[in-house]
């Protein structure tokens, strides 16, 4: 599957889950901390699952706007997504992720909102990257 890359970014991580990560452009820097549930100390830093959850939610709103533009449906300015990312051992070995996206499209009819979410799930780069690898549950508030 070829991708016509229009934009790319680079980030560097050091120290693993208890280290730091930053974009090479210098626009973003974060301290990392392993959650207690995964055997870490917890702490003030973020973890990769939090970053993935935030990125997926933001990207999915972008996909909703793209689909809305194609369908001539205005996506409400107060659209929001709560993205839940879970991590744990897989029955096949190793570790896996699961995702739940709870989408709020205030003012839109529920069936119209559900149709938009389904179409956005087909075009969102995060959805395309995870399809067949991670269970993604979509709900519309």
């Amino acid at each position: 599957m070829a991708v016509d890359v229009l934009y790319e970014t680079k980030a560097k991580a050091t120290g693993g889950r208890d280290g730091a990560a930053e974009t090479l452009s210098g626009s973003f820097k974060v301290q990392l901390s392993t959650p207690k549930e995964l055997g870490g100390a917890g702490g003030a830093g973020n973890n990769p699952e939090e970053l993935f959850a935030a990125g997926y939610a933001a990207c999915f709103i972008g996909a909703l706007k793209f689909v809305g533009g194609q369908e001539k449906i205005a996506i409400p300015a107060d659209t929001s997504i709560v993205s839940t990312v879970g991590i744990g051992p897989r029955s096949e070995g190793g570790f896996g992720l699961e995702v739940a996206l709870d989408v709020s499209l205030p003012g839109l009819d529920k069936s119209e909102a559900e149709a938009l979410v389904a179409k956005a799930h087909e075009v969102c780069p995060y959805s395309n990257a995870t399809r067949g690898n991670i269970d993604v549950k979509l709900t519309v508030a």
Side-chain angles (χ1 to χ4, degrees):
M1 170 186 312
V3 175
D4 182 16
V5 175
L6 301 176
Y7 168 79
E8 69 179 17
T9 187
K10 293 183 181 184
K12 179 180 178 181
T14 56
R17 286 183 165 271
D18 291 306
E22 64 184 299
T23 58
L24 296 188
S25 70
S27 64
F28 176 75
K29 187 172 188 173
V30 64
Q31 285 300 124
L32 301 172
S33 176
T34 303
K36 289 181 182 180
E37 296 85 349
L38 296 178
N46 294 99
N47 61 66
E49 293 72 37
E50 291 172 317
L51 301 175
F52 185 72
Y56 202 159
C59 190
F60 203 90
I61 291 173
L64 284 167
K65 289 179 178 181
F66 175 80
V67 170
Q70 289 184 323
E71 305 273 324
K72 308 266 191 275
I73 298 170
I75 301 303
D78 55 350
T79 293
S80 65
I81 296 178
V82 174
S83 175
T84 304
V85 174
I87 183 173
R90 297 177 344 130
S91 58
E92 302 86 355
F95 292 87
L97 300 173
E98 64 180 27
V99 174
L101 301 178
D102 296 318
V103 183
S104 174
L105 289 156
L108 290 185
D109 173 77
K110 185 162 182 163
S111 62
E112 181 178 46
E114 287 173 340
L116 282 171
V117 166
K119 290 175 183 174
H121 191 47
E122 294 302 314
V123 301
C124 176
Y126 277 66
S127 294
N128 286 329
T130 60
R131 188 169 288 109
N133 297 308
I134 295 175
D135 288 334
V136 178
K137 179 182 176 191
L138 304 170
T139 57
V140 177

